[in-house]
Amino acid sequence: VIGAGKSYFIREVTGNQEVKVSGGLYSSTSKVQPYSFEYLGEKITLIDTPGFNDTNKPDTEILKEIADWTSKTYKKNQLLSGIIYLHPITHTRMEGSAMKNLRMFQRLCGQEVLENVLLTTTQWSKVDPTEGEFRENNLRDEGLWGGLIGKGATLQRFHGTRESGLELINKLVSKTRKPLHIQDQIVKQHLTLLQTDAGKFLNEGLAAQEKRFKEELESLEKQLREAIKAKDNEMNQILAAEQAKAE
């Protein structure tokens, strides 16, 4: 989710101050970028990815970049230990774009890896604890995160510190590594990106958007025709009145 703090999380946990963190609503991550650091004698690599609904890059390009990167690493037998899905607790409700991101996330990952997924809320310092807990409980709804939690995903919190981030890392490093659904579809099943579940979902969204724009355009054109017709009728009435006066 854009604005959830993916890059901030990575900078805090890795200690790498070169990680660019956005200070606004726009994503600071333009491409898939790995960042490695040493922790308890092991090399840990965190992957920063661009978010969907980025105003600077179309979703099709973002999906292709993620698919290309994950496919290349899968072919090298490099699998992820887990996925940390970040969502700002400052959001009063799950907006349309956040729901779209969640649905895309499900299609990218598939059900087999949900035990390796941490659904993590961020920015707790910006909300009243009671209000934050209320929003967190709402996320447990079956139509939001509840279905994923029921299939193995875990609800967690990131409190903005390295210690808090490392607690999340500790929950994942011992997990059995599994391929993402999109990795299996592209590498093992030899599907094209548009044939994958993620690709189909994105394509359906674009088709629905195109249909909506077409309907809106047709409605505007109809209103314009009616306005012109009404104006013509008004002009004809004025001309008729002027002609009657002249006679």
Side-chain angles (χ1 to χ4, degrees), residues 69-87:
W69 192 90
T70 54
S71 296
K72 289 177 183 177
T73 54
Y74 188 32
K75 290 175 182 178
K76 297 177 183 178
N77 201 32
Q78 297 174 349
L79 301 178
L80 300 176
S81 296
I83 302 169
I84 301 175
Y85 183 89
L86 301 180
H87 175 81

Side-chain angles (χ1 to χ4, degrees), residues 133-146:
E133 289 181 7
F134 174 77
R135 295 175 187 176
E136 185 181 54
N137 285 330
N138 286 341
L139 289 172
R140 297 177 184 272
D141 185 271
E142 186 69 22
L144 301 177
W145 287 2

Side-chain angles (χ1 to χ4, degrees), residues 14 27 35 40 95 129 134 157 217-218 234 243:
T14 63
S27 174
Y35 295 95
L40 298 180
E95 302 287 353
F134 174 77
R157 297 179 184 180
L217 180 60
E218 290 175 348
E234 181 183 351
Q243 185 176 4

Side-chain angles (χ1 to χ4, degrees), residues 4-5 8 23 47 51 57 63 72-73 76 79 87 97 101 111 129 131 141 148 157 165 169 175 178 181 210 232 247:
Y8 175 82
I47 314 300
K57 185 177 289 189
L63 177 59
K72 289 177 183 177
T73 54
K76 297 177 183 178
L79 301 178
H87 175 81
S97 59
N101 282 331
Q111 295 188 16
E131 178 63 24
D141 185 271
L148 301 180
R157 297 179 184 180
I169 300 299
K175 295 281 188 180
K178 301 176 182 179
H181 185 51
E210 182 180 2
D232 287 345
E247 294 175 352

